[in-house]
Amino acid sequence: MSAPTPSPAGPRVVVPAGGIGGARFLRGLLAAAPGARVDVIGNTGDDITLFGLRVCPDLDTVMYTLGGGIHEEQGWGRADETFAVKEELAAYGVEPQWFGLGDRDIATHVVRTQMLGAGYPLSAVTQALCARWGLPALGVRLLPMTDDPVETHVVVEDDQGRRAVHFQEYWVRLRAAPPALSVVPVGADAARPGPGVLEAVADADVVLLPPSNPVVSIGTVLAVPGVADALRAAGAPVVGLSPVVGGAPVRGMADKVLAAIGVEPTAAAVAAHYGARGAGGLLDGWLVDERDADAVAEVEALGIRCRAVPLLMRDLEASAAMARAALDLAAEVRA
Amino acid sequence: MSAPTPSPAGPRVVVPAGGIGGARFLRGLLAAAPGARVDVIGNTGDDITLFGLRVCPDLDTVMYTLGGGIHEEQGWGRADETFAVKEELAAYGVEPQWFGLGDRDIATHVVRTQMLGAGYPLSAVTQALCARWGLPALGVRLLPMTDDPVETHVVVEDDQGRRAVHFQEYWVRLRAAPPALSVVPVGADAARPGPGVLEAVADADVVLLPPSNPVVSIGTVLAVPGVADALRAAGAPVVGLSPVVGGAPVRGMADKVLAAIGVEPTAAAVAAHYGARGAGGLLDGWLVDERDADAVAEVEALGIRCRAVPLLMRDLEASAAMARAALDLAAEVRA
């Protein structure tokens, strides 16, 4: 069972993506490039089983955002959400209670869990869920990075000692408060790229790395054997957008996990972490925020074409302008 | 893992029970006999797996009713219920859509499904769920009739031909419209009584058959090998209350399934169906409604002590009066 291939009228764009930042960037991309075929390689390392239900936070954030079901202010979860099930689960005293599963959201997990239990791979389940949200009509395929189990664990140390916790526990329950000593995509070494992932990269006209978390979002996608190699071998230009603006992550707590891999929270350091394609890395181009204009020379010295543009996704128009700047830089690299 | 045994201050009462009628009678019994220890033998033949969630309608109706969570007017499901999950499941197009799973109710099924998946038997799961609802403090143990799979099927014939459907599909989706040709508790022949069931019957001071459906509720409990024999062998008097008043079931569509087993919808015919204990049946006593006073002689001619009393559970006081009448008749039989 493979995803149907729409005939692309515009460019074929591949976007490895994590959660909120990736989803908002994708919405801008669809506005900037109508007719594009967009293949999203979705991070599944954040996935978690709660109360027997399989939850895929990053896939769902992309699906809900593009399908019009997202809670706009929050950036994740469903609009007009209620929490009756969560209240009742708490009344039964079952754990964990730190994860905010909404009622509408739960229906997604119920359908997913039932389909997985019936033997469908996650890629087929995701395709079925996305059909309801109209992603095929938008020219978007949401491809899980893998159908195999990968679970991002974070090694932390606090007054309870040193231990590995699931990324969701680190991010949601502990609010990234304890220092992250390391981040491990458990299972990634044995994972195979999901159906269509390598083909999408090979067929791409352009690859964009959105301003998602370089460690726990894009980093996890790249940890699936074959994906980074495919990107390095791609004929298409690879352009990334810095998730760090003015020395701090635009959203979330990305600096916490950057520290765990020894990367400074600067736009230039993240570019250096991805590396220049000419030097065995991934990037042909890199966008930094206007405020980080002084990083342009530093990034170009690495062999990566670099431009400074506004990088705050305040609204759809700002996100679309960022996508246009990325596509323009890709065209410039290609020329 | 077996249920803890509270020290009874009052009589030990065993009540095989189905759904709404059984639950409301039990509430009356608790009001009529404070201090009683009540062991409910719950029907599990109505249980169904929907969207991967294990739903036990009769157990939950008893649990919610006694625990104060029931939707009072409806008689089943949760008070203050919402239906966000159901709406979303419908938006995903998943079937079946004819079963009204509410959000609060779903939490019960999520906990149950997770515990069953972890290897706990239904009896232990039910005990855990009932703890939240305070049933132990009421002196009530809710014992599933069996931990083994039993599923009541109804053979129907309509314009789609003759076929067997799950009881819930017959009752909820088809609204008992097609004639029921037969009712089969699939799996009952190989089921073993649940933990504590036979012991409860052996230790009982009195056994009451509430005005539950004699076929698909009490009949299914009696279909578990060993249960009917234990009741026949019990030292305690067995007194039942007619679910048929004035020639029609008090609630629901019991006449539909009575026809399937060849029993007329009359108070006397249902008594004859259960049979007199002296003649190899179950009953020592039988209560009919005042309107069926002319059935008393007919029932007593079977060897079953019979009284005519008001049998409509209009409110808690009416239900309590019925329970008192049943306990009085049991005392009379015992004397």
Side-chain angles (χ1 to χ4, degrees), chain A residues 51 78 85 87-88 91-92 103-104 107-108 114 129 132-133, chain B residues 51 78 85 87-88 91-92 103-104 107-108 110 114 129 132-133:
Chain A
F51 314 113
R78 292 291 311 277
V85 177
E87 283 172 29
E88 290 294 319
Y92 278 114
D103 298 330
R104 295 190 181 282
T108 300
Q114 195 180 13
L129 294 172
R132 177 230 163 153
W133 292 101
Chain B
F51 314 113
R78 294 290 310 279
V85 176
E87 282 172 30
E88 291 294 320
Y92 278 114
D103 298 331
R104 295 191 182 281
T108 299
V110 166
Q114 196 179 14
L129 294 172
R132 177 230 164 153
W133 291 102

PDB file of all heavy atoms in Angstrom, chain A residues 51 78 85 87-88 91-92 103-104 107-108 114 129 132-133, chain B residues 51 78 85 87-88 91-92 103-104 107-108 110 114 129 132-133:
ATOM      1  N   PHE A  51      -2.162   5.253  27.635  1.00  0.00           N
ATOM      2  CA  PHE A  51      -3.446   4.589  27.893  1.00  0.00           C
ATOM      3  C   PHE A  51      -3.778   3.599  26.775  1.00  0.00           C
ATOM      4  O   PHE A  51      -4.946   3.406  26.445  1.00  0.00           O
ATOM      5  CB  PHE A  51      -4.566   5.622  28.044  1.00  0.00           C
ATOM      6  CG  PHE A  51      -4.191   6.773  28.928  1.00  0.00           C
ATOM      7  CD1 PHE A  51      -4.047   8.050  28.420  1.00  0.00           C
ATOM      8  CD2 PHE A  51      -3.946   6.556  30.275  1.00  0.00           C
ATOM      9  CE1 PHE A  51      -3.677   9.101  29.230  1.00  0.00           C
ATOM     10  CE2 PHE A  51      -3.592   7.608  31.100  1.00  0.00           C
ATOM     11  CZ  PHE A  51      -3.450   8.887  30.576  1.00  0.00           C
ATOM     12  N   ARG A  78      -6.174  20.156  19.006  1.00  0.00           N
ATOM     13  CA  ARG A  78      -7.323  20.520  18.196  1.00  0.00           C
ATOM     14  C   ARG A  78      -7.978  21.820  18.661  1.00  0.00           C
ATOM     15  O   ARG A  78      -8.022  22.111  19.863  1.00  0.00           O
ATOM     16  CB  ARG A  78      -8.370  19.391  18.264  1.00  0.00           C
ATOM     17  CG  ARG A  78      -7.934  18.096  17.589  1.00  0.00           C
ATOM     18  CD  ARG A  78      -7.865  18.250  16.089  1.00  0.00           C
ATOM     19  NE  ARG A  78      -9.087  18.866  15.592  1.00  0.00           N
ATOM     20  CZ  ARG A  78     -10.215  18.191  15.343  1.00  0.00           C
ATOM     21  NH1 ARG A  78     -10.232  16.889  15.498  1.00  0.00           N
ATOM     22  NH2 ARG A  78     -11.288  18.823  14.903  1.00  0.00           N
ATOM     23  N   VAL A  85     -12.466  13.097  28.617  1.00  0.00           N
ATOM     24  CA  VAL A  85     -11.803  11.805  28.801  1.00  0.00           C
ATOM     25  C   VAL A  85     -10.639  11.953  29.787  1.00  0.00           C
ATOM     26  O   VAL A  85     -10.477  11.139  30.700  1.00  0.00           O
ATOM     27  CB  VAL A  85     -11.307  11.245  27.453  1.00  0.00           C
ATOM     28  CG1 VAL A  85     -10.543   9.939  27.678  1.00  0.00           C
ATOM     29  CG2 VAL A  85     -12.470  11.006  26.493  1.00  0.00           C
ATOM     30  N   GLU A  87     -10.241  14.157  32.163  1.00  0.00           N
ATOM     31  CA  GLU A  87     -10.777  14.326  33.521  1.00  0.00           C
ATOM     32  C   GLU A  87     -11.171  12.979  34.133  1.00  0.00           C
ATOM     33  O   GLU A  87     -10.914  12.708  35.309  1.00  0.00           O
ATOM     34  CB  GLU A  87     -12.033  15.196  33.493  1.00  0.00           C
ATOM     35  CG  GLU A  87     -11.794  16.681  33.341  1.00  0.00           C
ATOM     36  CD  GLU A  87     -13.116  17.426  33.124  1.00  0.00           C
ATOM     37  OE1 GLU A  87     -14.167  16.956  33.616  1.00  0.00           O
ATOM     38  OE2 GLU A  87     -13.082  18.445  32.431  1.00  0.00           O
ATOM     39  N   GLU A  88     -11.818  12.158  33.295  1.00  0.00           N
ATOM     40  CA  GLU A  88     -12.272  10.856  33.798  1.00  0.00           C
ATOM     41  C   GLU A  88     -11.095   9.917  34.075  1.00  0.00           C
ATOM     42  O   GLU A  88     -11.115   9.172  35.052  1.00  0.00           O
ATOM     43  CB  GLU A  88     -13.223  10.207  32.795  1.00  0.00           C
ATOM     44  CG  GLU A  88     -14.556  10.910  32.695  1.00  0.00           C
ATOM     45  CD  GLU A  88     -15.362  10.812  33.977  1.00  0.00           C
ATOM     46  OE1 GLU A  88     -15.376   9.730  34.585  1.00  0.00           O
ATOM     47  OE2 GLU A  88     -15.962  11.825  34.378  1.00  0.00           O
ATOM     48  N   ALA A  91      -9.841  10.804  37.268  1.00  0.00           N
ATOM     49  CA  ALA A  91     -10.729  10.338  38.339  1.00  0.00           C
ATOM     50  C   ALA A  91     -10.506   8.852  38.628  1.00  0.00           C
ATOM     51  O   ALA A  91     -10.669   8.400  39.757  1.00  0.00           O
ATOM     52  CB  ALA A  91     -12.190  10.596  37.959  1.00  0.00           C
ATOM     53  N   TYR A  92     -10.115   8.091  37.596  1.00  0.00           N
ATOM     54  CA  TYR A  92      -9.779   6.679  37.813  1.00  0.00           C
ATOM     55  C   TYR A  92      -8.380   6.534  38.410  1.00  0.00           C
ATOM     56  O   TYR A  92      -7.970   5.427  38.764  1.00  0.00           O
ATOM     57  CB  TYR A  92      -9.872   5.888  36.501  1.00  0.00           C
ATOM     58  CG  TYR A  92     -11.284   5.461  36.139  1.00  0.00           C
ATOM     59  CD1 TYR A  92     -11.923   5.968  35.023  1.00  0.00           C
ATOM     60  CD2 TYR A  92     -11.964   4.536  36.929  1.00  0.00           C
ATOM     61  CE1 TYR A  92     -13.217   5.577  34.693  1.00  0.00           C
ATOM     62  CE2 TYR A  92     -13.255   4.141  36.616  1.00  0.00           C
ATOM     63  CZ  TYR A  92     -13.877   4.669  35.496  1.00  0.00           C
ATOM     64  OH  TYR A  92     -15.150   4.275  35.187  1.00  0.00           O
ATOM     65  N   ASP A 103     -10.326  15.449  23.858  1.00  0.00           N
ATOM     66  CA  ASP A 103     -11.317  14.496  23.366  1.00  0.00           C
ATOM     67  C   ASP A 103     -11.251  14.336  21.844  1.00  0.00           C
ATOM     68  O   ASP A 103     -11.256  13.216  21.328  1.00  0.00           O
ATOM     69  CB  ASP A 103     -12.723  14.938  23.773  1.00  0.00           C
ATOM     70  CG  ASP A 103     -12.894  14.978  25.285  1.00  0.00           C
ATOM     71  OD1 ASP A 103     -12.221  14.191  25.970  1.00  0.00           O
ATOM     72  OD2 ASP A 103     -13.684  15.802  25.771  1.00  0.00           O
ATOM     73  N   ARG A 104     -11.225  15.473  21.134  1.00  0.00           N
ATOM     74  CA  ARG A 104     -11.197  15.375  19.666  1.00  0.00           C
ATOM     75  C   ARG A 104      -9.922  14.695  19.204  1.00  0.00           C
ATOM     76  O   ARG A 104      -9.924  13.841  18.311  1.00  0.00           O
ATOM     77  CB  ARG A 104     -11.308  16.766  19.031  1.00  0.00           C
ATOM     78  CG  ARG A 104     -12.639  17.414  19.307  1.00  0.00           C
ATOM     79  CD  ARG A 104     -12.888  18.672  18.505  1.00  0.00           C
ATOM     80  NE  ARG A 104     -14.174  19.207  18.880  1.00  0.00           N
ATOM     81  CZ  ARG A 104     -15.335  18.721  18.453  1.00  0.00           C
ATOM     82  NH1 ARG A 104     -15.353  17.722  17.611  1.00  0.00           N
ATOM     83  NH2 ARG A 104     -16.472  19.232  18.873  1.00  0.00           N
ATOM     84  N   ALA A 107      -9.828  10.855  19.349  1.00  0.00           N
ATOM     85  CA  ALA A 107     -10.446  10.094  18.259  1.00  0.00           C
ATOM     86  C   ALA A 107      -9.400   9.721  17.210  1.00  0.00           C
ATOM     87  O   ALA A 107      -9.400   8.598  16.682  1.00  0.00           O
ATOM     88  CB  ALA A 107     -11.584  10.895  17.637  1.00  0.00           C
ATOM     89  N   THR A 108      -8.482  10.657  16.923  1.00  0.00           N
ATOM     90  CA  THR A 108      -7.399  10.362  15.982  1.00  0.00           C
ATOM     91  C   THR A 108      -6.573   9.177  16.480  1.00  0.00           C
ATOM     92  O   THR A 108      -6.252   8.260  15.714  1.00  0.00           O
ATOM     93  CB  THR A 108      -6.490  11.603  15.819  1.00  0.00           C
ATOM     94  OG1 THR A 108      -7.270  12.686  15.313  1.00  0.00           O
ATOM     95  CG2 THR A 108      -5.325  11.319  14.879  1.00  0.00           C
ATOM     96  N   GLN A 114      -6.397   1.457  16.358  1.00  0.00           N
ATOM     97  CA  GLN A 114      -7.161   0.329  15.827  1.00  0.00           C
ATOM     98  C   GLN A 114      -6.564  -0.148  14.504  1.00  0.00           C
ATOM     99  O   GLN A 114      -6.433  -1.347  14.269  1.00  0.00           O
ATOM    100  CB  GLN A 114      -8.615   0.746  15.643  1.00  0.00           C
ATOM    101  CG  GLN A 114      -9.533  -0.446  15.449  1.00  0.00           C
ATOM    102  CD  GLN A 114     -10.983  -0.042  15.272  1.00  0.00           C
ATOM    103  OE1 GLN A 114     -11.306   1.124  15.056  1.00  0.00           O
ATOM    104  NE2 GLN A 114     -11.866  -1.015  15.357  1.00  0.00           N
ATOM    105  N   LEU A 129      -5.631   8.791   7.741  1.00  0.00           N
ATOM    106  CA  LEU A 129      -6.030   9.918   8.589  1.00  0.00           C
ATOM    107  C   LEU A 129      -5.971  11.232   7.804  1.00  0.00           C
ATOM    108  O   LEU A 129      -6.860  12.082   7.911  1.00  0.00           O
ATOM    109  CB  LEU A 129      -5.119   9.999   9.820  1.00  0.00           C
ATOM    110  CG  LEU A 129      -5.226   8.830  10.815  1.00  0.00           C
ATOM    111  CD1 LEU A 129      -4.138   8.940  11.882  1.00  0.00           C
ATOM    112  CD2 LEU A 129      -6.601   8.788  11.475  1.00  0.00           C
ATOM    113  N   ARG A 132      -8.955  12.357   5.544  1.00  0.00           N
ATOM    114  CA  ARG A 132     -10.041  13.104   6.156  1.00  0.00           C
ATOM    115  C   ARG A 132      -9.736  14.600   6.200  1.00  0.00           C
ATOM    116  O   ARG A 132     -10.646  15.425   6.086  1.00  0.00           O
ATOM    117  CB  ARG A 132     -10.275  12.588   7.574  1.00  0.00           C
ATOM    118  CG  ARG A 132     -11.359  13.381   8.304  1.00  0.00           C
ATOM    119  CD  ARG A 132     -10.939  13.850   9.678  1.00  0.00           C
ATOM    120  NE  ARG A 132     -11.794  14.894  10.176  1.00  0.00           N
ATOM    121  CZ  ARG A 132     -12.009  15.128  11.462  1.00  0.00           C
ATOM    122  NH1 ARG A 132     -11.456  14.348  12.361  1.00  0.00           N
ATOM    123  NH2 ARG A 132     -12.742  16.145  11.833  1.00  0.00           N
ATOM    124  N   TRP A 133      -8.475  14.948   6.396  1.00  0.00           N
ATOM    125  CA  TRP A 133      -8.086  16.349   6.556  1.00  0.00           C
ATOM    126  C   TRP A 133      -7.764  17.027   5.227  1.00  0.00           C
ATOM    127  O   TRP A 133      -7.298  18.169   5.216  1.00  0.00           O
ATOM    128  CB  TRP A 133      -6.903  16.456   7.537  1.00  0.00           C
ATOM    129  CG  TRP A 133      -7.329  16.100   8.932  1.00  0.00           C
ATOM    130  CD1 TRP A 133      -7.128  14.913   9.575  1.00  0.00           C
ATOM    131  CD2 TRP A 133      -8.073  16.916   9.836  1.00  0.00           C
ATOM    132  NE1 TRP A 133      -7.692  14.940  10.826  1.00  0.00           N
ATOM    133  CE2 TRP A 133      -8.273  16.166  11.008  1.00  0.00           C
ATOM    134  CE3 TRP A 133      -8.583  18.215   9.766  1.00  0.00           C
ATOM    135  CZ2 TRP A 133      -8.977  16.668  12.097  1.00  0.00           C
ATOM    136  CZ3 TRP A 133      -9.275  18.717  10.855  1.00  0.00           C
ATOM    137  CH2 TRP A 133      -9.465  17.943  12.003  1.00  0.00           C
TER     138      TRP A 133
ATOM    139  N   PHE B  51     -14.039   0.103  18.137  1.00  0.00           N
ATOM    140  CA  PHE B  51     -12.863   0.953  17.905  1.00  0.00           C
ATOM    141  C   PHE B  51     -11.682   0.491  18.761  1.00  0.00           C
ATOM    142  O   PHE B  51     -10.889   1.303  19.218  1.00  0.00           O
ATOM    143  CB  PHE B  51     -13.196   2.426  18.208  1.00  0.00           C
ATOM    144  CG  PHE B  51     -14.506   2.872  17.618  1.00  0.00           C
ATOM    145  CD1 PHE B  51     -15.577   3.197  18.439  1.00  0.00           C
ATOM    146  CD2 PHE B  51     -14.669   2.915  16.249  1.00  0.00           C
ATOM    147  CE1 PHE B  51     -16.792   3.579  17.895  1.00  0.00           C
ATOM    148  CE2 PHE B  51     -15.882   3.306  15.695  1.00  0.00           C
ATOM    149  CZ  PHE B  51     -16.945   3.638  16.515  1.00  0.00           C
ATOM    150  N   ARG B  78     -23.264   8.041  30.944  1.00  0.00           N
ATOM    151  CA  ARG B  78     -22.873   8.979  31.976  1.00  0.00           C
ATOM    152  C   ARG B  78     -23.712  10.250  31.982  1.00  0.00           C
ATOM    153  O   ARG B  78     -24.122  10.740  30.931  1.00  0.00           O
ATOM    154  CB  ARG B  78     -21.395   9.358  31.794  1.00  0.00           C
ATOM    155  CG  ARG B  78     -20.412   8.223  32.005  1.00  0.00           C
ATOM    156  CD  ARG B  78     -20.351   7.841  33.464  1.00  0.00           C
ATOM    157  NE  ARG B  78     -20.151   9.013  34.295  1.00  0.00           N
ATOM    158  CZ  ARG B  78     -18.975   9.586  34.511  1.00  0.00           C
ATOM    159  NH1 ARG B  78     -17.887   9.061  34.004  1.00  0.00           N
ATOM    160  NH2 ARG B  78     -18.885  10.655  35.253  1.00  0.00           N
ATOM    161  N   VAL B  85     -15.588  12.704  20.883  1.00  0.00           N
ATOM    162  CA  VAL B  85     -14.857  11.597  20.263  1.00  0.00           C
ATOM    163  C   VAL B  85     -15.730  10.939  19.189  1.00  0.00           C
ATOM    164  O   VAL B  85     -15.267  10.671  18.076  1.00  0.00           O
ATOM    165  CB  VAL B  85     -14.423  10.559  21.318  1.00  0.00           C
ATOM    166  CG1 VAL B  85     -13.760   9.366  20.642  1.00  0.00           C
ATOM    167  CG2 VAL B  85     -13.480  11.182  22.342  1.00  0.00           C
ATOM    168  N   GLU B  87     -18.158  12.238  17.453  1.00  0.00           N
ATOM    169  CA  GLU B  87     -18.243  13.133  16.282  1.00  0.00           C
ATOM    170  C   GLU B  87     -17.001  13.012  15.406  1.00  0.00           C
ATOM    171  O   GLU B  87     -17.087  12.978  14.183  1.00  0.00           O
ATOM    172  CB  GLU B  87     -18.331  14.598  16.739  1.00  0.00           C
ATOM    173  CG  GLU B  87     -19.690  15.052  17.224  1.00  0.00           C
ATOM    174  CD  GLU B  87     -19.605  16.452  17.838  1.00  0.00           C
ATOM    175  OE1 GLU B  87     -18.744  17.248  17.407  1.00  0.00           O
ATOM    176  OE2 GLU B  87     -20.384  16.723  18.756  1.00  0.00           O
ATOM    177  N   GLU B  88     -15.848  12.964  16.059  1.00  0.00           N
ATOM    178  CA  GLU B  88     -14.589  12.877  15.308  1.00  0.00           C
ATOM    179  C   GLU B  88     -14.436  11.526  14.622  1.00  0.00           C
ATOM    180  O   GLU B  88     -13.949  11.446  13.498  1.00  0.00           O
ATOM    181  CB  GLU B  88     -13.409  13.130  16.243  1.00  0.00           C
ATOM    182  CG  GLU B  88     -13.321  14.554  16.735  1.00  0.00           C
ATOM    183  CD  GLU B  88     -13.031  15.534  15.607  1.00  0.00           C
ATOM    184  OE1 GLU B  88     -12.224  15.211  14.719  1.00  0.00           O
ATOM    185  OE2 GLU B  88     -13.635  16.616  15.605  1.00  0.00           O
ATOM    186  N   ALA B  91     -16.317  11.729  11.642  1.00  0.00           N
ATOM    187  CA  ALA B  91     -15.640  12.550  10.630  1.00  0.00           C
ATOM    188  C   ALA B  91     -14.542  11.756   9.926  1.00  0.00           C
ATOM    189  O   ALA B  91     -14.248  11.989   8.759  1.00  0.00           O
ATOM    190  CB  ALA B  91     -15.057  13.808  11.274  1.00  0.00           C
ATOM    191  N   TYR B  92     -13.940  10.811  10.640  1.00  0.00           N
ATOM    192  CA  TYR B  92     -12.950   9.929  10.007  1.00  0.00           C
ATOM    193  C   TYR B  92     -13.634   8.833   9.189  1.00  0.00           C
ATOM    194  O   TYR B  92     -12.966   8.059   8.507  1.00  0.00           O
ATOM    195  CB  TYR B  92     -12.031   9.293  11.051  1.00  0.00           C
ATOM    196  CG  TYR B  92     -10.897  10.192  11.499  1.00  0.00           C
ATOM    197  CD1 TYR B  92     -10.826  10.669  12.803  1.00  0.00           C
ATOM    198  CD2 TYR B  92      -9.898  10.566  10.612  1.00  0.00           C
ATOM    199  CE1 TYR B  92      -9.794  11.500  13.209  1.00  0.00           C
ATOM    200  CE2 TYR B  92      -8.862  11.397  11.012  1.00  0.00           C
ATOM    201  CZ  TYR B  92      -8.817  11.861  12.307  1.00  0.00           C
ATOM    202  OH  TYR B  92      -7.799  12.679  12.692  1.00  0.00           O
ATOM    203  N   ASP B 103     -17.941  10.694  25.712  1.00  0.00           N
ATOM    204  CA  ASP B 103     -16.544  10.962  26.076  1.00  0.00           C
ATOM    205  C   ASP B 103     -16.207  10.435  27.466  1.00  0.00           C
ATOM    206  O   ASP B 103     -15.184   9.782  27.665  1.00  0.00           O
ATOM    207  CB  ASP B 103     -16.262  12.469  26.014  1.00  0.00           C
ATOM    208  CG  ASP B 103     -16.440  13.027  24.611  1.00  0.00           C
ATOM    209  OD1 ASP B 103     -16.235  12.277  23.641  1.00  0.00           O
ATOM    210  OD2 ASP B 103     -16.792  14.211  24.493  1.00  0.00           O
ATOM    211  N   ARG B 104     -17.081  10.741  28.441  1.00  0.00           N
ATOM    212  CA  ARG B 104     -16.789  10.279  29.808  1.00  0.00           C
ATOM    213  C   ARG B 104     -16.792   8.759  29.871  1.00  0.00           C
ATOM    214  O   ARG B 104     -15.929   8.137  30.492  1.00  0.00           O
ATOM    215  CB  ARG B 104     -17.812  10.844  30.796  1.00  0.00           C
ATOM    216  CG  ARG B 104     -17.726  12.345  30.912  1.00  0.00           C
ATOM    217  CD  ARG B 104     -18.528  12.924  32.065  1.00  0.00           C
ATOM    218  NE  ARG B 104     -18.388  14.364  32.030  1.00  0.00           N
ATOM    219  CZ  ARG B 104     -17.316  15.017  32.475  1.00  0.00           C
ATOM    220  NH1 ARG B 104     -16.329  14.355  33.043  1.00  0.00           N
ATOM    221  NH2 ARG B 104     -17.243  16.322  32.366  1.00  0.00           N
ATOM    222  N   ALA B 107     -13.609   6.951  28.685  1.00  0.00           N
ATOM    223  CA  ALA B 107     -12.479   6.835  29.615  1.00  0.00           C
ATOM    224  C   ALA B 107     -12.542   5.496  30.351  1.00  0.00           C
ATOM    225  O   ALA B 107     -11.512   4.842  30.565  1.00  0.00           O
ATOM    226  CB  ALA B 107     -12.478   7.998  30.600  1.00  0.00           C
ATOM    227  N   THR B 108     -13.740   5.070  30.730  1.00  0.00           N
ATOM    228  CA  THR B 108     -13.899   3.768  31.387  1.00  0.00           C
ATOM    229  C   THR B 108     -13.389   2.656  30.468  1.00  0.00           C
ATOM    230  O   THR B 108     -12.655   1.755  30.901  1.00  0.00           O
ATOM    231  CB  THR B 108     -15.384   3.520  31.721  1.00  0.00           C
ATOM    232  OG1 THR B 108     -15.835   4.543  32.615  1.00  0.00           O
ATOM    233  CG2 THR B 108     -15.590   2.158  32.356  1.00  0.00           C
ATOM    234  N   VAL B 110     -11.301   2.925  27.992  1.00  0.00           N
ATOM    235  CA  VAL B 110      -9.853   3.049  27.778  1.00  0.00           C
ATOM    236  C   VAL B 110      -9.101   2.380  28.929  1.00  0.00           C
ATOM    237  O   VAL B 110      -8.168   1.604  28.714  1.00  0.00           O
ATOM    238  CB  VAL B 110      -9.442   4.533  27.639  1.00  0.00           C
ATOM    239  CG1 VAL B 110      -7.927   4.701  27.766  1.00  0.00           C
ATOM    240  CG2 VAL B 110      -9.917   5.098  26.297  1.00  0.00           C
ATOM    241  N   GLN B 114      -6.929  -1.074  28.488  1.00  0.00           N
ATOM    242  CA  GLN B 114      -5.513  -1.092  28.820  1.00  0.00           C
ATOM    243  C   GLN B 114      -5.208  -2.168  29.865  1.00  0.00           C
ATOM    244  O   GLN B 114      -4.220  -2.885  29.760  1.00  0.00           O
ATOM    245  CB  GLN B 114      -5.088   0.286  29.326  1.00  0.00           C
ATOM    246  CG  GLN B 114      -3.589   0.468  29.332  1.00  0.00           C
ATOM    247  CD  GLN B 114      -3.165   1.841  29.813  1.00  0.00           C
ATOM    248  OE1 GLN B 114      -3.957   2.582  30.377  1.00  0.00           O
ATOM    249  NE2 GLN B 114      -1.917   2.179  29.599  1.00  0.00           N
ATOM    250  N   LEU B 129     -12.189  -0.647  38.531  1.00  0.00           N
ATOM    251  CA  LEU B 129     -13.070   0.435  38.084  1.00  0.00           C
ATOM    252  C   LEU B 129     -14.090   0.777  39.170  1.00  0.00           C
ATOM    253  O   LEU B 129     -14.384   1.949  39.430  1.00  0.00           O
ATOM    254  CB  LEU B 129     -13.787   0.036  36.789  1.00  0.00           C
ATOM    255  CG  LEU B 129     -12.902  -0.144  35.543  1.00  0.00           C
ATOM    256  CD1 LEU B 129     -13.708  -0.735  34.386  1.00  0.00           C
ATOM    257  CD2 LEU B 129     -12.283   1.189  35.122  1.00  0.00           C
ATOM    258  N   ARG B 132     -13.197   3.201  42.092  1.00  0.00           N
ATOM    259  CA  ARG B 132     -13.366   4.641  41.870  1.00  0.00           C
ATOM    260  C   ARG B 132     -14.784   5.083  42.172  1.00  0.00           C
ATOM    261  O   ARG B 132     -15.010   6.201  42.649  1.00  0.00           O
ATOM    262  CB  ARG B 132     -13.030   4.978  40.420  1.00  0.00           C
ATOM    263  CG  ARG B 132     -13.252   6.454  40.122  1.00  0.00           C
ATOM    264  CD  ARG B 132     -14.078   6.678  38.880  1.00  0.00           C
ATOM    265  NE  ARG B 132     -14.587   8.019  38.791  1.00  0.00           N
ATOM    266  CZ  ARG B 132     -14.885   8.627  37.650  1.00  0.00           C
ATOM    267  NH1 ARG B 132     -14.665   8.016  36.528  1.00  0.00           N
ATOM    268  NH2 ARG B 132     -15.404   9.822  37.655  1.00  0.00           N
ATOM    269  N   TRP B 133     -15.753   4.230  41.876  1.00  0.00           N
ATOM    270  CA  TRP B 133     -17.160   4.584  42.036  1.00  0.00           C
ATOM    271  C   TRP B 133     -17.687   4.280  43.437  1.00  0.00           C
ATOM    272  O   TRP B 133     -18.887   4.430  43.691  1.00  0.00           O
ATOM    273  CB  TRP B 133     -17.997   3.892  40.966  1.00  0.00           C
ATOM    274  CG  TRP B 133     -17.698   4.458  39.603  1.00  0.00           C
ATOM    275  CD1 TRP B 133     -16.920   3.907  38.635  1.00  0.00           C
ATOM    276  CD2 TRP B 133     -18.150   5.719  39.079  1.00  0.00           C
ATOM    277  NE1 TRP B 133     -16.856   4.736  37.544  1.00  0.00           N
ATOM    278  CE2 TRP B 133     -17.601   5.856  37.790  1.00  0.00           C
ATOM    279  CE3 TRP B 133     -18.958   6.745  39.582  1.00  0.00           C
ATOM    280  CZ2 TRP B 133     -17.835   6.982  36.996  1.00  0.00           C
ATOM    281  CZ3 TRP B 133     -19.191   7.855  38.792  1.00  0.00           C
ATOM    282  CH2 TRP B 133     -18.631   7.971  37.512  1.00  0.00           C
TER     283      TRP B 133
END
